Amino acid sequence: MTLHTPIRACLFDLDGVLVDTAKYHYLAWKRLAGELGFEFTEQDNERLKGVSRMASLDILLSIGGISPDDDTRLALAEKKNGWYVDYITRMDESEILPGALDFLKELKAGGMLVALGSASKNAMTILNNTKLAPYFDAIVDGTKTVSAKPDPEVFLLGAQELGVDPAACVVFEDAEAGIEAAIRAGMRSIGVGSPATLGRAGAVVSSLREMSLRRLEKIFSSR
Ligand code: BG6
Ligand code: MG
């Protein structure tokens, strides 16, 4: 990576960075575990963040000590998704995380390109319901990718759709796998959450409320 390439684009993860959907994923997975006859805790749920739907299901099933055949696995993932979709179809702007909207507005006003890089196949529903969709110049979600984070595919596709070199991109992520994906893509990154899990990011903030264009430039001015 060229050290002083100016930043031209910001790529955002969705769940846990822009919107508070982790609680809905948790409720739906917990309900599925309950139907299958085992407990699923909030701590267990941490392992599912940033992970694709089928990989999440496999983690959940391993917690329950169950290994069903592929057809059953697909049916279980669909069942969970049905419950999750019930939650997100009722979402509105009030579930945008603190600071996210102001930061997106500032980025757009400052001429920065903005892309979404999410593992979710439900991203469009969420972006439309929260009215966030118009802020994005490119949207790459789980319907467009083959490989899940930590594979860099989702972010590389985002940069490609924006027509920007990866070295000029900054990724905002709340999952360790997402920071790893950004690093593998040759991009800079900012972790949104705890330094304990996001320590490999260029910087960590507790929420986007701490972000501004000025802060962004300051963080990377010497790296
Ligand atoms: C990620 C979430 O953004 O999307 C994961 O952090 C989720 O928890 C994944 O499993 C896939 O989401 P969906 O909506 O396609 O099931
Ligand atoms: Mg996330």
Side-chain angles (χ1 to χ4, degrees), residues 157-179:
L157 264 176
Q160 196 183 317
E161 283 199 20
L162 294 175
V164 173
D165 193 274
C169 296
V170 178
V171 167
F172 291 83
E173 258 292 350
D174 71 320
E176 208 177 348
I179 297 295

Side-chain angles (χ1 to χ4, degrees), residues 36-48:
L36 294 170
F38 60 91
E39 268 297 306
F40 180 70
T41 65
E42 269 189 79
Q43 203 183 337
D44 294 328
N45 191 56
E46 284 301 307
R47 294 171 59 193
L48 273 48

Side-chain angles (χ1 to χ4, degrees), residues 13 15 25 48-53 56 80-81 84 118-122:
D13 174 50
D15 297 313
H25 279 296
L48 273 48
K49 287 188 179 169
V51 177
S52 72
R53 192 181 308 164
S56 296
K80 178 267 172 179
N81 191 55
Y84 178 69
S118 167
S120 176
K121 291 185 161 74
N122 294 300

Side-chain angles (χ1 to χ4, degrees), residues 1 9-11 152-160 164-171 179-190 200 202 220:
M1 183 177 17
C10 291
L11 282 69
E153 182 189 21
V154 66
F155 295 132
L156 289 173
L157 264 176
Q160 196 183 317
V164 173
D165 193 274
C169 296
V170 178
V171 167
I179 297 295
E180 176 66 26
I183 292 168
R184 289 197 205 169
M187 297 178 182
R188 285 167 276 189
S189 60
I190 294 189
R200 296 192 68 209
F220 294 113

